Amino acid sequence: MWYFRTGRLALQPASGEQIEVERILAAARAALAISSFCAVQLSSAAAFQYHSLVQFLLLLYSGHAIALLVLLYARREASSRFIHAVHASDVLWPAVICLFTNGLASPFFLFFIFASLAAAFRWGMREALLTMVAALVAILGTAIALAHSPLAARIAQEVTLKTLLLRTVYLVTFASLIGYLAESEKCRHAEALSISQVSAKARVDAGIKGTLQATMQEVLRVFDGRELWLVAGERARPSNLWLVEKLPGTGEVVFTWRELEEFEAGTYALEMPEHCAGASWQENQSASTDTVDHEGTPLRGPQCQLSSALVRQHPFQRLLACVVSFSPHIVGRVFLFEPKLGGSSKTQLRFLQQLSNRVAPGVYNVYLLRRLRSRAAAVERARVARELHDGVVQSLHGLAFRLYALRTAAGVNPKQSEELLELQELVQSETAVLRTLIQQLKPLDFDPRHLVEFLAGLIDRFRTDTGIAAEFVCDVGDVALSPTPCREIAGIVQEALANVLKHSGAE
């Protein structure tokens, strides 16, 4: 597998993409070589001092191009070593041909343009410029080396400052332009592929925790960063911290989550100026160096401030942060430490903002779907509980009364009365168990501020339904907890009461 990792995003091309690129270049190379050979063959007079030699070289070059084309269509993949060897030949062949066709003034100088185009097509702007430099070095080095050779005496005369400057300007201009266009296209392709790969990690069956773990790990891989945080909460108040980080030495990625304490909220808070949605920081500085808006456009003037506690507790060389809204009430802040890929800080920040904005709806949809499923299940359990209470429980009560009436009726002998009593007690016991099951089926839906009242009512219903002496004692008037621990506490108490009924033998 191959990646664009030299300052670019970690782009993993689709299977077969690399060999397809080489096949396209091979077809263009063959067409260029054959057309050049035909043009020389059809010329009416010898245009070059070594016309026959030029014909022979173009014939060899055409054969070389056709052989590469056939070889690439016969293979399923191309190795990195093979690609670099082919690229080197794309620079050396034009140098040799131009040597015998008026040097820098050669009409076959176009072959160097093809080499720069191939470099930009394969890799990007930097490689296209390096190819341009290599082309100039190759042709000048060859010409200067043979300047005093009898074979190339005329060639040495063609290496003039004027020709050199013109050809250099041509190559630099073309290599820069085609390199920039290719680099921009590869960058957009890498960003689009990265966004699709991260978005694909949002899966309903994985749940919100599994989805956040998968998406955050993928974002960290895309940027090759050290840590990635998601600080989320309602109404811009941080309450939860989701963290993905690489362990030093091993490179293993771990995922953790915890609720923030009240005193930690200020540490992870990030207040953004108006119209600002992201910022970057350098070298443990509290003031940001770059800021962007919600569309990723750079802003001038406004700065974002990090809390001194965060800078002190989590030192960094480069830090990116952006704000992402999951819903009107849920706001998240993404912190990315030490990103290595994606270009400059401005480019990284812009892409991080765009990536977060496009992935957030998918993550929030997973949250909503899981919540809807949970609510649907709770509604179904409540319906089953009502049907059991209104149907089966009432029938069991009626059966218990009938057994009581039969047991106390006249003419019932003691043995029959004892058997009827056992049946009556069994029915009453199963009725109590069923009532407990009904209570467990009912969703624990209550106001967290009324946890104490809910627990007191739960104990009272248990005492009434089972006849077991139970008392609720609480020394705290108000309990200030979030909904999640309140539901957990209520569930623990409910399960404890069920265990008392089943296993304690209490009366």
Side-chain angles (χ1 to χ4, degrees):
M1 305 304 293
W2 58 293
Y3 298 85
F4 297 119
R5 297 185 65 88
T6 54
R8 309 178 182 110
L9 296 176
L11 172 60
Q12 181 178 357
S15 177
E17 183 176 343
Q18 185 180 21
I19 191 67
E20 190 63 29
V21 169
E22 292 303 317
R23 287 170 180 172
I24 294 173
L25 292 176
R29 183 186 300 108
L32 181 63
I34 294 173
S35 61
S36 299
F37 176 75
C38 293
V40 171
Q41 287 296 106
L42 295 175
S43 60
S44 57
F48 311 105
Q49 182 178 0
Y50 306 102
H51 189 76
S52 299
L53 180 59
V54 171
Q55 288 180 319
F56 178 70
L57 289 175
L58 288 175
L59 181 62
L60 286 180
Y61 184 56
S62 300
H64 165 77
I66 294 173
L68 286 178
L69 180 62
V70 173
L71 180 61
L72 287 169
Y73 272 95
R75 301 177 64 173
R76 293 186 177 180
E77 61 180 17
S79 65
S80 177
R81 181 178 298 178
F82 174 81
I83 293 173
H84 284 87
V86 171
H87 188 65
S89 69
D90 286 340
V91 176
L92 293 178
W93 269 110
V96 174
I97 294 173
C98 289
L99 182 64
F100 300 99
T101 54
N102 302 331
L104 287 174
S106 171
F108 299 106
F109 201 80
L110 177 64
F111 289 1
F112 288 115
I113 301 295
F114 171 78
S116 295
L117 175 64
F121 202 41
R122 289 186 182 108
W123 300 295
M125 183 173 183
R126 181 171 57 188
E127 288 77 4
L129 293 176
L130 289 175
T131 300
M132 176 268 299
V133 173
L136 291 175
V137 170
I139 192 170
L140 284 176
T142 306
I144 293 174
L146 298 178
H148 303 288
S149 171
L151 183 66
R154 183 179 176 183
I155 298 175
Q157 298 175 2
E158 297 294 336
V159 184
T160 63
L161 181 60
K162 178 180 179 181
T163 304
L164 176 61
L165 289 177
L166 286 176
R167 294 300 186 181
T168 302
V169 170
Y170 294 160
L171 276 180
V172 171
T173 302
F174 181 83
S176 301
L177 178 60
I178 196 64
Y180 173 77
L181 294 176
E183 187 81 14
S184 300
E185 178 60 26
K186 289 182 180 295
C187 182
R188 287 192 293 268
H189 180 48
E191 291 181 357
L193 182 59
S194 298
I195 291 174
S196 65
Q197 288 176 342
V198 176
S199 300
K201 300 296 181 179
R203 299 175 55 186
V204 178
D205 56 345
I208 185 63
K209 183 177 179 180
T211 294
L212 283 175
Q213 179 179 359
T215 54
M216 291 177 67
Q217 287 178 346
E218 187 67 17
V219 171
L220 192 67
R221 184 199 67 81
V222 166
F223 286 94
D224 194 20
R226 187 191 72 195
E227 292 181 46
L228 180 67
W229 298 353
L230 173 61
V231 182
E234 296 185 359
R235 299 177 179 85
R237 184 175 181 82
S239 59
N240 297 288
L241 173 62
W242 310 78
L243 185 147
V244 172
E245 62 178 328
K246 287 183 181 178
L247 296 180
T250 63
E252 181 182 357
V253 179
V254 296
F255 173 79
T256 56
W257 167 84
R258 66 183 179 90
E259 291 188 1
L260 296 176
E261 302 292 342
E262 288 290 334
F263 67 89
E264 294 180 296
T267 301
Y268 297 94
L270 182 62
E271 298 296 334
M272 291 282 186
E274 187 179 3
H275 305 304
C276 183
S280 64
W281 292 263
Q282 304 284 345
E283 301 288 344
N284 296 324
Q285 297 296 320
S286 299
S288 63
T289 55
D290 299 295
T291 55
V292 297
D293 61 13
H294 291 275
E295 299 300 326
T297 304
L299 299 176
R300 293 184 178 180
Q303 285 186 327
C304 299
Q305 297 289 332
L306 290 175
S307 66
S308 58
L310 189 146
V311 175
R312 183 175 61 256
Q313 297 172 14
H314 306 279
F316 57 85
Q317 296 297 315
R318 180 182 293 186
L319 171 63
L320 309 179
C322 65
V323 176
V324 55
S325 297
F326 293 95
S327 73
H329 305 293
I330 301 178
V331 178
R333 295 163 181 81
V334 179
F335 294 84
L336 177 60
F337 289 82
E338 315 302 349
K340 298 178 182 177
L341 303 180
S344 63
S345 296
K346 291 182 179 180
T347 304
Q348 291 174 334
L349 181 60
R350 176 190 59 80
F351 178 59
L352 179 63
Q353 178 63 35
Q354 293 179 349
L355 178 63
S356 301
N357 287 337
R358 284 162 174 76
V359 174
V363 175
Y364 186 62
N365 287 338
V366 171
Y367 167 75
L368 289 180
L369 288 173
R370 296 288 293 190
R371 190 171 181 179
L372 288 174
R373 283 186 176 182
S374 177
R375 288 186 176 181
V379 170
E380 182 64 17
R381 290 197 302 269
R383 184 189 66 81
V384 172
R386 287 195 304 271
E387 291 183 355
L388 289 175
H389 182 272
D390 297 339
V392 179
V393 172
Q394 300 305 321
S395 298
L396 289 175
H397 276 305
L399 180 58
F401 282 122
R402 292 288 299 276
L403 291 172
Y404 173 77
L406 290 174
R407 183 171 62 82
T408 57
V412 178
N413 58 51
K415 184 177 181 180
Q416 291 176 332
S417 177
E418 183 178 351
E419 292 178 353
L420 291 173
L421 178 60
E422 291 178 358
L423 290 175
Q424 180 184 349
E425 291 176 347
L426 178 60
V427 170
Q428 290 175 340
S429 175
E430 293 302 319
T431 302
V433 172
L434 187 57
R435 282 184 175 274
T436 303
L437 177 61
I438 291 173
Q439 290 298 325
Q440 291 178 333
L441 285 175
K442 291 181 179 179
L444 295 175
D445 191 10
F446 60 93
D447 191 335
R449 295 171 296 180
H450 300 155
L451 175 62
V452 175
E453 292 85 346
F454 178 82
L455 294 178
L458 192 64
I459 300 298
D460 289 340
R461 285 193 300 272
F462 175 79
R463 181 174 59 249
T464 302
D465 294 340
T466 64
I468 298 176
E471 183 180 0
F472 176 70
V473 178
C474 180
D475 297 330
V476 180
D478 296 325
V479 178
L481 294 175
S482 60
T484 300
C486 286
R487 286 193 295 268
E488 295 293 341
I489 292 173
I492 291 171
V493 174
Q494 192 177 64
E495 185 65 23
L497 294 176
N499 290 332
V500 168
L501 178 63
K502 292 180 181 179
H503 309 297
S504 68
E507 297 180 355

